[in-house]
Amino acid sequence: MGKYLISGGTPLEGEIKVSGAKNAALPIITAGLMANSPSKLLDIPMLRDVTNLCTIISKMGGKVQCSGNQVMIDPAGLTEPEADHELARKLRASYYILGVLLAKQGYARTSLPGGCNIGNRPIDLHLKGFKALGAEIRLDHGIVEVKANKLQGERIYLDYPSVGATINIILAACMAEGQTIIENAAREPEIVDLANYLTVMGAQIKGVGTDLIKIEGVKALKGAEHRIIPDRIEAGTYMVAAALTRGEVFVRNVLAEHVKPLIAKLHEMGLEIREDIAGVYIKNSKGKLKAVDIKTLPYPGFPTDLQSQMMVLLTQADGTSLVIETVWENRFMHVDELNRMGADIKIDGHSALIKPSHLTGAEVTVTDLRAGAALILAGLVALGKTNISEIYHIERGYENIDQKLAGIGAMISKSNDQ
Ligand code: EPZ
């Protein structure tokens, strides 16, 4: 379990290094199972979601070896078509097993996935895609079963540019017969990273990063070496931390292109930002920042995964800000906890109105991954001590966040108390 204890008020200074992207690593590790030889994956963040996925794969007969941030994945022994139900429920990304095994052996079974409790999280678009490719779907008591004698390429229009559905359809279509076209596809960098890996494995994919993706099915894929892209959400969290504490930080290992919407907002607020090939430099020399409005959208819009962190920064701005969440229906769970720390935030449906406030330390509880990141940020700027419990949510998505922040001057420590 464990808790983070934070004493607020210290400006962050120095350099902080970002890990590989969780949301790219999860589909890429799973995609390793599609090959007929081993893959070597580099810069894999060692997170709870990753280790849970590796355990699921091992239980299915795949061989996974982790050392440092490197994962070797050997699909040779894969025999079991069913993912461990209890573990699969713990992470949303376990549904990638469906696309991978459907492509590779025409059958897969898993429990409906879990993950953060941030909304309804249906997988109808994934299943619609599988069905269009010729799969039969059975849903029974929370278990999903997909099966197909043969997958046939098809034109698939996504009602919403879902990240997971785009990835699952790419995975299933890689070894289908003929061409698959995904219209209104998601454009997130993690999808581009997966497609780059699949391409080195021998897949034929065009148009990733746009809303029209074309996949020409191939007979087989071979293992490959691939380095995961930096985690743009982790990077964004540290950029907000620097701004919030009136600090001066170089966030190393981030592709500035991936955090453009955040950089644009931080500029608008009055921060000094310099983009570099190795990362992003950020300085808050102004102190008081300008209030801004934010609306979360699919990439390249402002990421929902940075909404809660940004909201903490907006509590320190000069004026009232409006945040509109359009991606998830239940992503304001951090607001009650922030208000307990003295924030003045009012929610009305999918909108939140944020007025300036002084935050003070309190005992707070994490409800989901990014809400947890927001509470850490609030603790860094609050007067006095903040005690954060249920931090396992944070550990699902941030590698050594306490140590990394301590490295740039944050007064944060972890205790193993309940
Ligand atoms: C991915 O979730 C990320 N997770 C999320 O990151 C992120 O918030 C989200 O994309 C949006 O950027 C992983 O990559 C593992 P979606 P995903 O399918 O793929 C609706 C984090 O903090 N929808 O694009 O599940 C859905 O309900 C997390 O790291 C359907 O209606 O997101 C939601 O409202 C949490 N039917 C919207 O689309 C479907 O079949 C976006 O979901 C699928 C989705």
Side-chain angles (χ1 to χ4, degrees):
M1 286 303 229
K3 290 184 175 185
Y4 289 136
L5 311 170
I6 304 176
S7 291
T10 319
L12 300 183
E13 273 165 19
E15 183 175 308
I16 190 163
K17 186 163 177 245
V18 174
S19 300
K22 164 181 87 80
N23 290 344
L26 295 169
I28 286 173
I29 292 172
T30 318
L33 293 175
M34 291 170 82
N36 49 23
S37 54
S39 282
K40 184 175 175 180
L41 303 173
L42 307 168
D43 280 357
I44 297 282
M46 279 306 141
L47 301 165
R48 199 171 290 251
D49 272 9
V50 169
T51 49
N52 277 340
L53 178 63
C54 292
T55 310
I56 292 177
I57 291 174
S58 309
K59 286 190 166 193
M60 295 170 79
K63 212 193 261 167
V64 193
Q65 274 181 334
C66 303
S67 102
N69 289 104
Q70 185 175 306
V71 168
M72 292 290 297
I73 175 148
D74 183 353
L78 187 78
T79 45
E80 174 62 52
E82 184 158 352
D84 181 289
H85 291 187
E86 200 162 315
L87 281 173
R89 269 199 303 274
K90 285 193 180 156
L91 83 146
R92 175 90 178 147
S94 58
Y95 52 38
Y96 296 136
I97 283 171
L98 294 173
V100 163
L101 292 194
L102 189 58
K104 183 153 178 171
Q105 49 200 40
Y107 179 78
R109 216 173 116 90
T110 179
S111 59
L112 279 169
C116 283
N117 183 27
I118 54 182
N120 194 10
R121 310 201 78 169
I123 60 162
D124 55 312
L125 298 172
H126 305 231
L127 301 181
K128 185 177 154 187
F130 294 152
K131 213 166 163 185
L133 296 174
E136 274 175 47
I137 318 279
R138 264 190 61 192
L139 278 170
D140 194 17
H141 292 93
I143 307 290
V144 201
E145 193 176 76
V146 290
K147 100 172 144 191
N149 291 331
K150 185 183 89 157
L151 293 175
Q152 179 67 50
E154 199 30 283
R155 206 176 180 101
I156 299 164
Y157 176 85
L158 290 179
D159 300 332
Y160 183 90
S162 152
V163 175
T166 303
I167 289 180
N168 243 336
I169 297 168
I170 292 176
L171 292 168
C174 266
M175 292 202 274
E177 259 184 52
Q179 189 181 63
T180 299
I181 296 181
I182 311 175
E183 291 177 292
N184 199 27
R187 299 163 59 185
E188 271 67 4
E190 294 75 19
I191 300 173
V192 178
D193 201 31
L194 167 73
N196 287 340
Y197 170 55
L198 289 168
T199 302
V200 187
M201 292 167 87
Q204 291 192 17
I205 307 171
K206 292 213 169 69
V208 275
T210 76
D211 61 1
L212 189 85
I213 300 178
K214 291 185 182 168
I215 305 133
E216 204 66 56
V218 295
K219 289 258 177 289
L221 297 173
K222 58 183 188 315
E225 180 170 320
H226 181 77
R227 187 176 295 279
I228 306 295
I229 53 167
D231 194 311
R232 64 194 164 100
I233 306 302
E234 186 194 2
T237 304
Y238 300 147
M239 287 164 65
V240 172
L244 193 59
T245 60
R246 302 186 178 195
E248 184 174 356
V249 173
F250 182 65
V251 182
R252 183 172 288 283
N253 194 34
V254 46
L255 296 169
E257 184 62 31
H258 292 172
V259 282
K260 277 270 182 268
L262 176 66
I263 290 178
K265 283 295 160 189
L266 295 178
H267 261 309
E268 212 179 312
M269 294 182 80
L271 285 141
E272 203 181 316
I273 298 175
R274 209 175 54 237
E275 298 172 26
D276 184 288
I277 186 139
V280 174
Y281 165 87
I282 172 157
K283 182 174 177 185
N284 181 355
S285 47
K286 289 234 167 67
K288 262 293 173 222
L289 297 168
K290 220 174 127 230
V292 293
D293 295 340
I294 284 167
K295 184 175 185 179
T296 65
L297 286 168
Y299 190 85
F302 193 91
T304 171
D305 294 347
L306 282 174
Q307 177 258 107
S308 57
Q309 300 90 316
M310 197 62 185
M311 199 181 279
V312 179
L313 184 59
L314 295 176
T315 66
Q316 305 304 300
D318 201 8
T320 302
S321 309
L322 176 69
V323 170
I324 304 173
E325 171 63 49
T326 76
V327 179
W328 296 109
E329 73 235 24
N330 194 16
R331 222 177 194 186
F332 285 143
M333 286 188 294
H334 48 284
V335 169
D336 280 348
E337 297 301 86
L338 291 179
N339 283 345
R340 280 175 10 84
M341 293 178 73
D344 181 353
I345 306 172
K346 288 198 175 60
I347 301 176
D348 182 7
H350 287 280
S351 305
L353 207 60
I354 301 119
K355 292 198 171 145
S357 57
H358 291 290
L359 300 182
T360 48
E363 298 231 349
V364 287
T365 305
V366 179
T367 48
D368 73 80
L369 168 57
R370 307 301 170 190
L375 294 181
I376 291 184
L377 296 182
L380 292 177
V381 77
L383 192 69
K385 290 192 188 325
T386 298
N387 196 323
I388 306 180
S389 53
E390 309 280 324
I391 62 169
Y392 62 90
H393 289 290
I394 303 174
E395 292 174 343
R396 282 188 42 227
Y398 289 88
E399 195 177 41
N400 304 327
I401 189 169
D402 51 331
Q403 291 162 33
K404 286 190 187 185
L405 287 171
I408 52 171
M411 306 281 276
I412 177 169
S413 61
K414 184 176 162 179
S415 91
N416 286 322
D417 299 352
Q418 296 290 314

